[in-house]
Amino acid sequence: MTETRYDGLLLDHDGVIVTLCSHQVLRAAATDAFVDAGISNPSPDDVDAITIRVWEDDLCAVADRYGVDPDRLWQCREQRIEQTLRRETRAGRKVPYEDVTSLERVEVPTGIVSNNQTRIVEFVLREHGLYGYVETVRAREPTRESLREKKPESTYLEAAAADLDCSNPLYVGDSESDIVAGQRAGFDTVFLRRDHNATRHLEIEPTVEAESLSAVLELL
């Protein structure tokens, strides 16, 4: 029996396990969130600021411009995004990548680490029958405080590794923040290239690049 190099596998969710939702759809959800918070005509830049890759300072600055509580605005945003992603999943527009079935062959403990909301990740996994592939999910709670812990911070990666009782997991992501988070945690990293990031230039170097989850499995 050969010895396994890594004692765990950690995977990002959106863009690695399941397809991304269109930016246009997410932006519409963010616009609706402003309306829910009592803001009828937000600027396009402010809508963009709370659509994806949101930072707490930006959220607070936007809320301050409209005189609303940042926690209230964020709660509205999180609810609208959750509703949207549930709808997109049920409609078959947010689906697993074809190579996800290769995870059936993984022999080490496996977990999901995501900047998305935990309730969304868990819903998507259940809806597509993927929960059996993973032993833990570490993602955000729908609170403003959670923005301080999201990747590129290593908090969720370290928590997932602890859940799986592994000290040397391999982490697979599709963004530069994934690679930074993995390196901060001291883990080897795989930058997985999909259609949405096929030509993306990285300012930081992952341990390796791969074009499919099948290729990732060859590293374990």
Side-chain angles (χ1 to χ4, degrees), residues 2-84:
T2 58
E3 190 172 285
T4 302
R5 178 181 178 187
Y6 299 104
D7 60 357
L9 177 64
L10 301 178
L11 302 153
D12 185 31
H13 182 251
D14 303 284
V16 171
I17 299 296
V18 294
T19 56
L20 300 174
C21 187
S22 78
H23 187 272
Q24 181 179 1
V25 169
L26 294 175
R27 197 174 187 281
T31 301
D32 288 340
F34 275 100
V35 175
D36 294 343
I39 303 163
S40 59
N41 191 28
S43 77
D45 287 346
D46 288 338
V47 172
D48 287 338
I50 71 162
T51 298
I52 57 173
R53 302 184 187 91
V54 185
W55 301 103
E56 186 179 15
D57 288 349
D58 293 336
L59 169 67
C60 291
V62 170
D64 185 62
R65 277 194 285 277
Y66 296 95
V68 299
D69 178 19
D71 290 305
R72 170 62 178 156
L73 178 59
W74 189 242
Q75 181 185 50
C76 294
R77 185 268 187 195
E78 296 285 74
Q79 290 174 342
R80 283 291 185 174
I81 293 292
E82 181 196 15
Q83 293 168 3
T84 296

Coordinates of all heavy atoms in Angstrom, one line a residue, residues 2-84:
T2 N 0.6 2.2 -1.0 CA 1.4 3.4 -1.0 C 1.0 4.4 0.0 O -0.1 4.4 0.5 CB 1.3 4.0 -2.4 OG1 -0.1 4.3 -2.7 CG2 1.8 3.0 -3.5
E3 N 2.0 5.2 0.4 CA 1.7 6.2 1.4 C 1.1 7.5 0.7 O 1.6 7.9 -0.3 CB 3.0 6.5 2.1 CG 2.8 7.4 3.4 CD 4.1 7.5 4.2 OE1 4.4 6.5 4.8 OE2 4.7 8.6 4.1
T4 N 0.1 8.0 1.3 CA -0.6 9.2 0.8 C 0.2 10.5 1.2 O 0.6 10.6 2.3 CB -2.0 9.4 1.3 OG1 -2.7 8.2 0.9 CG2 -2.7 10.6 0.7
R5 N 0.5 11.3 0.2 CA 1.3 12.5 0.5 C 0.5 13.5 1.4 O 1.0 14.1 2.3 CB 1.7 13.2 -0.8 CG 2.5 14.5 -0.6 CD 2.8 15.2 -1.9 NE 3.5 16.4 -1.7 CZ 3.8 17.3 -2.7 NH1 3.5 17.0 -3.9 NH2 4.5 18.4 -2.4
Y6 N -0.8 13.7 1.1 CA -1.7 14.6 1.8 C -2.7 13.8 2.6 O -3.1 12.7 2.2 CB -2.4 15.5 0.8 CG -1.5 16.4 0.0 CD1 -1.3 16.1 -1.3 CD2 -0.9 17.5 0.6 CE1 -0.4 16.9 -2.1 CE2 0.0 18.3 -0.2 CZ 0.2 18.0 -1.5 OH 1.0 18.8 -2.3
D7 N -3.0 14.3 3.8 CA -3.9 13.6 4.7 C -5.3 14.2 4.7 O -6.1 13.8 5.5 CB -3.4 13.5 6.1 CG -3.2 14.9 6.7 OD1 -3.4 15.9 6.1 OD2 -2.8 14.9 7.9
G8 N -5.6 15.1 3.7 CA -6.9 15.7 3.6 C -7.0 16.4 2.3 O -6.0 16.8 1.7
L9 N -8.2 16.7 1.9 CA -8.5 17.5 0.7 C -9.5 18.6 1.0 O -10.6 18.3 1.5 CB -9.0 16.6 -0.4 CG -9.4 17.3 -1.7 CD1 -8.2 18.0 -2.4 CD2 -10.1 16.4 -2.7
L10 N -9.2 19.8 0.8 CA -10.1 21.0 1.0 C -10.4 21.6 -0.3 O -9.5 21.8 -1.1 CB -9.4 22.0 2.0 CG -9.1 21.5 3.4 CD1 -8.4 22.6 4.2 CD2 -10.3 20.9 4.1
L11 N -11.6 21.9 -0.5 CA -12.1 22.4 -1.8 C -12.9 23.7 -1.6 O -13.8 23.8 -0.7 CB -13.0 21.4 -2.5 CG -12.3 20.0 -2.8 CD1 -13.4 19.0 -2.8 CD2 -11.5 20.1 -4.1
D12 N -12.6 24.7 -2.5 CA -13.5 25.8 -2.5 C -14.9 25.3 -3.1 O -14.9 24.2 -3.7 CB -12.9 26.9 -3.4 CG -13.8 28.2 -3.5 OD1 -14.5 28.5 -2.5 OD2 -13.7 28.9 -4.5
H13 N -15.9 26.1 -3.0 CA -17.2 25.6 -3.5 C -17.6 26.2 -4.8 O -17.6 25.5 -5.8 CB -18.3 26.0 -2.4 CG -19.7 25.6 -2.7 ND1 -20.7 26.5 -3.1 CD2 -20.2 24.3 -2.7 CE1 -21.8 25.8 -3.3 NE2 -21.6 24.5 -3.1
D14 N -17.9 27.5 -4.9 CA -18.3 28.1 -6.2 C -17.1 28.3 -7.1 O -16.1 28.8 -6.8 CB -18.9 29.5 -5.9 CG -20.1 29.4 -4.9 OD1 -21.1 29.0 -5.3 OD2 -19.9 29.7 -3.7
G15 N -17.3 27.7 -8.3 CA -16.2 27.8 -9.3 C -15.3 26.6 -9.2 O -14.4 26.4 -10.1
V16 N -15.4 25.7 -8.2 CA -14.7 24.5 -8.1 C -15.6 23.3 -8.1 O -15.4 22.3 -8.9 CB -13.8 24.5 -6.8 CG1 -13.1 23.1 -6.6 CG2 -12.7 25.5 -6.9
I17 N -16.6 23.3 -7.2 CA -17.5 22.2 -7.1 C -18.7 22.5 -8.0 O -19.2 21.6 -8.8 CB -18.0 22.0 -5.7 CG1 -16.8 21.6 -4.8 CG2 -19.1 20.9 -5.6 CD1 -16.2 20.3 -5.1
V18 N -19.3 23.7 -7.9 CA -20.4 24.0 -8.7 C -20.2 25.3 -9.5 O -19.3 26.1 -9.2 CB -21.7 24.2 -7.9 CG1 -22.1 22.9 -7.2 CG2 -21.5 25.3 -6.8
T19 N -20.9 25.5 -10.6 CA -20.7 26.6 -11.5 C -21.1 27.9 -10.8 O -21.9 28.0 -9.8 CB -21.6 26.5 -12.7 OG1 -23.0 26.3 -12.4 CG2 -21.1 25.3 -13.6
L20 N -20.6 29.0 -11.3 CA -20.9 30.3 -10.7 C -22.2 30.8 -11.2 O -22.7 30.5 -12.3 CB -19.8 31.3 -11.1 CG -18.3 31.0 -10.7 CD1 -17.4 32.0 -11.3 CD2 -18.2 31.0 -9.2
C21 N -22.8 31.7 -10.4 CA -24.0 32.4 -10.8 C -23.6 33.6 -11.6 O -22.5 34.2 -11.4 CB -24.8 32.8 -9.6 SG -26.4 33.5 -9.9
S22 N -24.4 34.0 -12.6 CA -24.0 35.2 -13.4 C -24.0 36.4 -12.6 O -24.8 36.6 -11.6 CB -25.0 35.4 -14.6 OG -26.2 36.0 -14.1
H23 N -23.0 37.3 -12.9 CA -22.9 38.6 -12.2 C -24.1 39.4 -12.3 O -24.5 40.1 -11.3 CB -21.6 39.3 -12.7 CG -21.3 40.5 -11.9 ND1 -21.9 41.8 -12.1 CD2 -20.5 40.7 -10.8 CE1 -21.4 42.7 -11.3 NE2 -20.6 42.0 -10.4
Q24 N -24.8 39.4 -13.4 CA -26.0 40.2 -13.6 C -27.1 39.8 -12.7 O -27.8 40.6 -12.1 CB -26.4 40.0 -15.1 CG -27.7 40.8 -15.4 CD -28.1 40.6 -16.8 OE1 -27.5 39.9 -17.6 NE2 -29.2 41.3 -17.2
V25 N -27.2 38.5 -12.4 CA -28.2 38.0 -11.5 C -27.9 38.4 -10.1 O -28.8 38.8 -9.3 CB -28.4 36.5 -11.7 CG1 -29.2 35.9 -10.5 CG2 -29.0 36.1 -13.0
L26 N -26.7 38.3 -9.7 CA -26.3 38.6 -8.3 C -26.4 40.1 -8.1 O -26.8 40.6 -7.1 CB -24.8 38.2 -8.1 CG -24.6 36.7 -8.1 CD1 -23.1 36.4 -7.9 CD2 -25.3 36.0 -6.9
R27 N -26.1 40.9 -9.2 CA -26.2 42.3 -9.1 C -27.7 42.8 -8.9 O -28.0 43.7 -8.1 CB -25.6 43.0 -10.3 CG -25.3 44.5 -10.2 CD -24.6 45.0 -11.4 NE -24.2 46.4 -11.1 CZ -24.9 47.5 -11.2 NH1 -26.2 47.3 -11.5 NH2 -24.5 48.7 -11.0
A28 N -28.6 42.1 -9.5 CA -30.0 42.4 -9.4 C -30.4 42.1 -7.9 O -31.2 42.8 -7.4 CB -30.8 41.5 -10.4
A29 N -29.9 41.0 -7.4 CA -30.2 40.7 -6.0 C -29.7 41.8 -5.0 O -30.4 42.2 -4.1 CB -29.6 39.3 -5.6
A30 N -28.5 42.3 -5.3 CA -28.0 43.4 -4.5 C -28.8 44.7 -4.6 O -29.0 45.4 -3.6 CB -26.5 43.7 -4.9
T31 N -29.3 44.9 -5.8 CA -30.1 46.1 -6.0 C -31.4 45.9 -5.2 O -31.9 46.9 -4.6 CB -30.5 46.3 -7.5 OG1 -29.3 46.4 -8.3 CG2 -31.4 47.5 -7.7
D32 N -32.0 44.8 -5.2 CA -33.2 44.5 -4.4 C -32.9 44.7 -2.9 O -33.8 45.1 -2.2 CB -33.7 43.1 -4.7 CG -34.3 42.9 -6.1 OD1 -34.7 44.0 -6.7 OD2 -34.4 41.8 -6.6
A33 N -31.7 44.3 -2.5 CA -31.4 44.5 -1.1 C -31.4 45.9 -0.7 O -31.8 46.3 0.4 CB -30.0 43.9 -0.8
F34 N -31.0 46.8 -1.5 CA -31.0 48.3 -1.2 C -32.5 48.7 -1.0 O -32.8 49.4 -0.1 CB -30.4 49.1 -2.4 CG -28.9 49.3 -2.2 CD1 -28.1 48.5 -3.0 CD2 -28.4 50.2 -1.4 CE1 -26.7 48.6 -2.9 CE2 -27.0 50.4 -1.3 CZ -26.2 49.6 -2.0
V35 N -33.4 48.2 -1.9 CA -34.8 48.5 -1.8 C -35.3 48.0 -0.5 O -36.1 48.7 0.2 CB -35.6 47.9 -3.0 CG1 -37.1 48.2 -2.8 CG2 -35.1 48.6 -4.3
D36 N -35.0 46.8 -0.1 CA -35.4 46.2 1.1 C -35.0 47.1 2.3 O -35.7 47.1 3.3 CB -34.9 44.8 1.3 CG -35.4 43.8 0.3 OD1 -36.5 44.1 -0.3 OD2 -34.8 42.8 0.1
A37 N -33.8 47.7 2.2 CA -33.3 48.5 3.3 C -33.8 50.0 3.2 O -33.4 50.8 4.0 CB -31.8 48.6 3.2
G38 N -34.7 50.3 2.3 CA -35.3 51.6 2.2 C -34.6 52.5 1.3 O -34.8 53.8 1.3
I39 N -33.7 52.0 0.4 CA -33.0 52.9 -0.5 C -33.4 52.6 -2.0 O -33.2 51.5 -2.5 CB -31.5 52.6 -0.4 CG1 -31.0 52.8 1.0 CG2 -30.7 53.4 -1.4 CD1 -29.7 52.1 1.4
S40 N -34.1 53.5 -2.6 CA -34.8 53.3 -3.9 C -33.9 53.5 -5.1 O -34.2 52.9 -6.1 CB -36.0 54.1 -4.0 OG -35.7 55.5 -3.9
N41 N -32.8 54.3 -5.0 CA -32.1 54.6 -6.1 C -30.6 54.6 -5.8 O -29.9 55.7 -5.9 CB -32.5 56.0 -6.7 CG -31.9 56.2 -8.1 OD1 -31.6 55.3 -8.8 ND2 -31.7 57.5 -8.4
P42 N -30.0 53.5 -5.5 CA -28.6 53.4 -5.2 C -27.7 53.6 -6.4 O -28.2 53.3 -7.5 CB -28.4 52.0 -4.6 CG -29.4 51.2 -5.3 CD -30.6 52.1 -5.4
S43 N -26.5 54.2 -6.2 CA -25.6 54.4 -7.4 C -25.1 53.0 -7.9 O -25.0 52.0 -7.1 CB -24.5 55.2 -7.0 OG -23.5 54.5 -6.2
P44 N -24.8 52.9 -9.2 CA -24.2 51.6 -9.7 C -23.0 51.2 -8.9 O -22.8 50.0 -8.7 CB -23.9 52.0 -11.1 CG -24.9 53.0 -11.5 CD -25.0 53.9 -10.2
D45 N -22.1 52.1 -8.6 CA -20.9 51.7 -7.9 C -21.2 51.2 -6.5 O -20.6 50.2 -6.0 CB -20.0 53.0 -7.7 CG -19.3 53.4 -9.0 OD1 -19.3 52.6 -9.9 OD2 -18.8 54.5 -9.1
D46 N -22.2 51.7 -5.8 CA -22.6 51.2 -4.5 C -23.2 49.8 -4.6 O -23.0 48.9 -3.7 CB -23.5 52.2 -3.8 CG -22.8 53.4 -3.3 OD1 -21.5 53.3 -3.2 OD2 -23.4 54.5 -3.1
V47 N -24.0 49.6 -5.7 CA -24.6 48.2 -5.9 C -23.4 47.2 -6.1 O -23.4 46.1 -5.5 CB -25.5 48.2 -7.1 CG1 -25.9 46.8 -7.4 CG2 -26.7 49.1 -6.8
D48 N -22.4 47.6 -6.9 CA -21.3 46.7 -7.2 C -20.6 46.4 -5.9 O -20.1 45.3 -5.7 CB -20.3 47.4 -8.2 CG -20.9 47.4 -9.6 OD1 -21.8 46.5 -9.9 OD2 -20.5 48.2 -10.4
A49 N -20.5 47.4 -5.0 CA -19.7 47.2 -3.8 C -20.3 46.2 -2.8 O -19.5 45.6 -2.0 CB -19.6 48.6 -3.0
I50 N -21.6 45.9 -2.9 CA -22.1 44.8 -2.1 C -22.6 43.6 -2.8 O -23.3 42.8 -2.3 CB -23.3 45.4 -1.2 CG1 -24.5 45.7 -2.0 CG2 -22.9 46.6 -0.4 CD1 -25.8 45.8 -1.2
T51 N -22.2 43.5 -4.1 CA -22.6 42.3 -4.9 C -21.7 41.1 -4.6 O -22.2 40.1 -4.1 CB -22.6 42.7 -6.4 OG1 -23.5 43.7 -6.6 CG2 -23.0 41.5 -7.2
I52 N -20.4 41.2 -4.9 CA -19.5 40.1 -4.6 C -18.2 40.7 -4.1 O -17.9 41.9 -4.3 CB -19.2 39.2 -5.9 CG1 -18.7 40.0 -7.0 CG2 -20.5 38.5 -6.3 CD1 -18.3 39.2 -8.2
R53 N -17.4 39.8 -3.5 CA -16.1 40.2 -2.9 C -16.2 41.5 -2.0 O -15.5 42.5 -2.2 CB -15.1 40.5 -4.0 CG -14.8 39.3 -4.9 CD -13.7 39.5 -6.0 NE -13.7 38.4 -6.9 CZ -14.3 38.3 -8.0 NH1 -15.2 39.3 -8.4 NH2 -14.3 37.3 -8.8
V54 N -17.2 41.4 -1.1 CA -17.5 42.5 -0.3 C -16.6 42.6 0.9 O -16.3 41.6 1.6 CB -19.0 42.4 0.2 CG1 -19.3 43.7 1.0 CG2 -19.9 42.2 -1.0
W55 N -16.1 43.8 1.2 CA -15.3 44.1 2.4 C -16.0 44.9 3.4 O -16.8 45.7 3.0 CB -14.0 44.7 2.0 CG -13.2 43.9 1.0 CD1 -13.1 44.1 -0.3 CD2 -12.4 42.7 1.3 NE1 -12.3 43.2 -0.9 CE2 -11.9 42.3 0.1 CE3 -12.2 42.0 2.5 CZ2 -11.1 41.1 0.0 CZ3 -11.4 40.9 2.4 CH2 -10.9 40.5 1.1
E56 N -15.8 44.7 4.7 CA -16.6 45.4 5.7 C -16.4 46.9 5.6 O -17.4 47.6 5.8 CB -16.1 44.9 7.1 CG -17.0 45.4 8.2 CD -16.6 44.9 9.6 OE1 -15.5 44.4 9.7 OE2 -17.4 45.1 10.5
D57 N -15.3 47.4 5.3 CA -15.1 48.8 5.2 C -15.9 49.4 4.1 O -16.5 50.5 4.3 CB -13.6 49.2 5.0 CG -12.7 48.9 6.3 OD1 -13.3 48.7 7.4 OD2 -11.5 49.0 6.2
D58 N -16.0 48.7 3.0 CA -16.8 49.2 1.9 C -18.2 49.2 2.2 O -19.0 50.1 1.9 CB -16.5 48.3 0.6 CG -15.1 48.5 0.1 OD1 -14.5 49.5 0.4 OD2 -14.6 47.6 -0.6
L59 N -18.7 48.1 2.8 CA -20.1 48.0 3.3 C -20.5 49.2 4.2 O -21.5 49.8 4.0 CB -20.3 46.7 4.0 CG -21.7 46.5 4.7 CD1 -22.8 46.5 3.7 CD2 -21.7 45.3 5.6
C60 N -19.6 49.4 5.2 CA -19.9 50.5 6.1 C -19.9 51.9 5.4 O -20.8 52.7 5.8 CB -18.9 50.5 7.3 SG -19.1 49.0 8.3
A61 N -19.0 52.1 4.5 CA -19.0 53.3 3.7 C -20.2 53.5 2.9 O -20.8 54.6 2.9 CB -17.7 53.4 2.8
V62 N -20.7 52.5 2.3 CA -21.9 52.5 1.5 C -23.1 52.8 2.4 O -23.9 53.7 2.1 CB -22.2 51.2 0.7 CG1 -23.6 51.2 0.1 CG2 -21.1 51.0 -0.4
A63 N -23.2 52.1 3.5 CA -24.3 52.3 4.4 C -24.3 53.7 5.0 O -25.4 54.4 5.1 CB -24.2 51.3 5.6
D64 N -23.2 54.3 5.3 CA -23.1 55.6 5.8 C -23.6 56.6 4.8 O -24.2 57.6 5.1 CB -21.6 55.9 6.2 CG -21.4 57.2 6.9 OD1 -22.0 57.4 7.9 OD2 -20.7 58.1 6.3
R65 N -23.3 56.4 3.5 CA -23.7 57.4 2.5 C -25.2 57.5 2.4 O -25.8 58.5 2.0 CB -23.2 56.9 1.1 CG -21.7 57.4 0.8 CD -21.3 57.3 -0.6 NE -21.1 55.9 -1.0 CZ -19.9 55.3 -0.8 NH1 -18.9 55.9 -0.2 NH2 -19.8 54.0 -1.3
Y66 N -25.9 56.4 2.8 CA -27.4 56.4 2.7 C -28.0 56.5 4.1 O -29.3 56.5 4.2 CB -27.9 55.2 2.0 CG -27.4 55.1 0.5 CD1 -26.3 54.4 0.2 CD2 -28.1 55.8 -0.5 CE1 -25.8 54.4 -1.1 CE2 -27.7 55.7 -1.8 CZ -26.6 55.0 -2.1 OH -26.1 55.0 -3.4
G67 N -27.2 56.7 5.1 CA -27.8 56.8 6.5 C -28.5 55.6 7.0 O -29.5 55.8 7.7
V68 N -28.0 54.4 6.6 CA -28.7 53.2 7.1 C -27.7 52.4 7.9 O -26.5 52.6 7.8 CB -29.2 52.3 5.9 CG1 -30.2 53.0 5.1 CG2 -28.0 51.8 5.0
D69 N -28.2 51.5 8.8 CA -27.4 50.7 9.6 C -26.7 49.6 8.7 O -27.3 48.9 8.0 CB -28.3 50.0 10.6 CG -27.5 49.0 11.5 OD1 -26.3 49.1 11.6 OD2 -28.1 48.1 12.1
P70 N -25.4 49.5 8.8 CA -24.7 48.5 7.9 C -25.1 47.1 8.2 O -25.2 46.3 7.2 CB -23.2 48.7 8.3 CG -23.2 49.5 9.6 CD -24.4 50.3 9.6
D71 N -25.5 46.8 9.4 CA -25.9 45.4 9.7 C -27.3 45.2 9.0 O -27.6 44.1 8.5 CB -26.1 45.2 11.2 CG -24.7 45.2 11.9 OD1 -23.9 44.3 11.5 OD2 -24.5 45.9 12.8
R72 N -28.1 46.2 9.0 CA -29.4 46.1 8.3 C -29.2 45.9 6.8 O -29.9 45.0 6.2 CB -30.3 47.3 8.6 CG -31.5 47.5 7.7 CD -32.5 46.3 8.0 NE -33.7 46.5 7.2 CZ -34.5 45.5 6.9 NH1 -34.2 44.2 7.3 NH2 -35.6 45.7 6.2
L73 N -28.4 46.7 6.2 CA -28.1 46.6 4.8 C -27.5 45.2 4.4 O -27.9 44.6 3.5 CB -27.2 47.7 4.3 CG -26.8 47.7 2.8 CD1 -28.0 47.8 1.9 CD2 -25.8 48.8 2.5
W74 N -26.6 44.8 5.3 CA -26.0 43.5 5.0 C -27.0 42.3 5.2 O -27.0 41.4 4.4 CB -24.8 43.3 6.0 CG -24.0 42.0 5.6 CD1 -23.7 40.9 6.4 CD2 -23.3 41.8 4.4 NE1 -23.0 40.0 5.7 CE2 -22.7 40.5 4.5 CE3 -23.1 42.5 3.2 CZ2 -21.9 40.0 3.4 CZ3 -22.4 42.0 2.2 CH2 -21.8 40.7 2.3
Q75 N -27.8 42.4 6.2 CA -28.9 41.4 6.4 C -29.8 41.3 5.1 O -30.1 40.2 4.7 CB -29.7 41.7 7.6 CG -30.8 40.7 7.9 CD -31.7 41.1 9.0 OE1 -32.2 42.2 9.1 NE2 -31.9 40.2 10.0
C76 N -30.1 42.5 4.6 CA -31.0 42.5 3.4 C -30.2 41.9 2.2 O -30.8 41.1 1.4 CB -31.4 43.9 3.0 SG -32.5 44.7 4.2
R77 N -28.9 42.2 2.1 CA -28.1 41.6 1.0 C -28.0 40.1 1.1 O -28.2 39.4 0.2 CB -26.7 42.3 1.1 CG -25.8 41.9 -0.1 CD -24.9 40.7 0.3 NE -23.9 40.4 -0.8 CZ -23.2 39.3 -0.9 NH1 -23.4 38.3 0.0 NH2 -22.4 39.2 -1.9
E78 N -27.7 39.6 2.3 CA -27.5 38.2 2.5 C -28.8 37.4 2.2 O -28.8 36.3 1.6 CB -27.1 37.9 3.9 CG -25.7 38.4 4.3 CD -24.6 37.6 3.7 OE1 -24.4 37.8 2.4 OE2 -23.9 36.9 4.4
Q79 N -29.9 38.0 2.6 CA -31.2 37.3 2.4 C -31.5 37.3 0.9 O -32.0 36.2 0.4 CB -32.3 38.0 3.1 CG -32.3 37.9 4.6 CD -33.3 38.7 5.3 OE1 -33.8 39.7 4.8 NE2 -33.6 38.4 6.6
R80 N -31.3 38.4 0.2 CA -31.5 38.4 -1.3 C -30.6 37.5 -2.0 O -31.0 36.8 -3.0 CB -31.4 39.8 -1.8 CG -32.6 40.7 -1.5 CD -33.8 40.3 -2.2 NE -34.9 41.2 -2.0 CZ -36.1 41.1 -2.7 NH1 -36.3 40.2 -3.6 NH2 -37.1 42.0 -2.4
I81 N -29.3 37.4 -1.6 CA -28.4 36.5 -2.3 C -28.8 35.1 -2.0 O -28.7 34.2 -3.0 CB -27.0 36.8 -1.8 CG1 -26.5 38.2 -2.3 CG2 -26.0 35.7 -2.3 CD1 -26.3 38.3 -3.8
E82 N -29.2 34.8 -0.8 CA -29.6 33.4 -0.5 C -30.8 33.0 -1.4 O -30.8 31.9 -2.0 CB -29.9 33.2 1.0 CG -30.4 31.8 1.3 CD -31.1 31.7 2.6 OE1 -31.5 32.7 3.2 OE2 -31.2 30.5 3.1
Q83 N -31.8 33.8 -1.4 CA -33.0 33.5 -2.2 C -32.6 33.3 -3.7 O -33.1 32.4 -4.3 CB -34.0 34.7 -2.1 CG -34.6 34.8 -0.7 CD -35.3 36.2 -0.6 OE1 -35.4 37.0 -1.5 NE2 -35.8 36.4 0.6
T84 N -31.7 34.2 -4.2 CA -31.3 34.1 -5.6 C -30.6 32.8 -5.9 O -30.9 32.1 -6.9 CB -30.5 35.3 -6.0 OG1 -31.3 36.5 -5.8 CG2 -29.9 35.2 -7.4

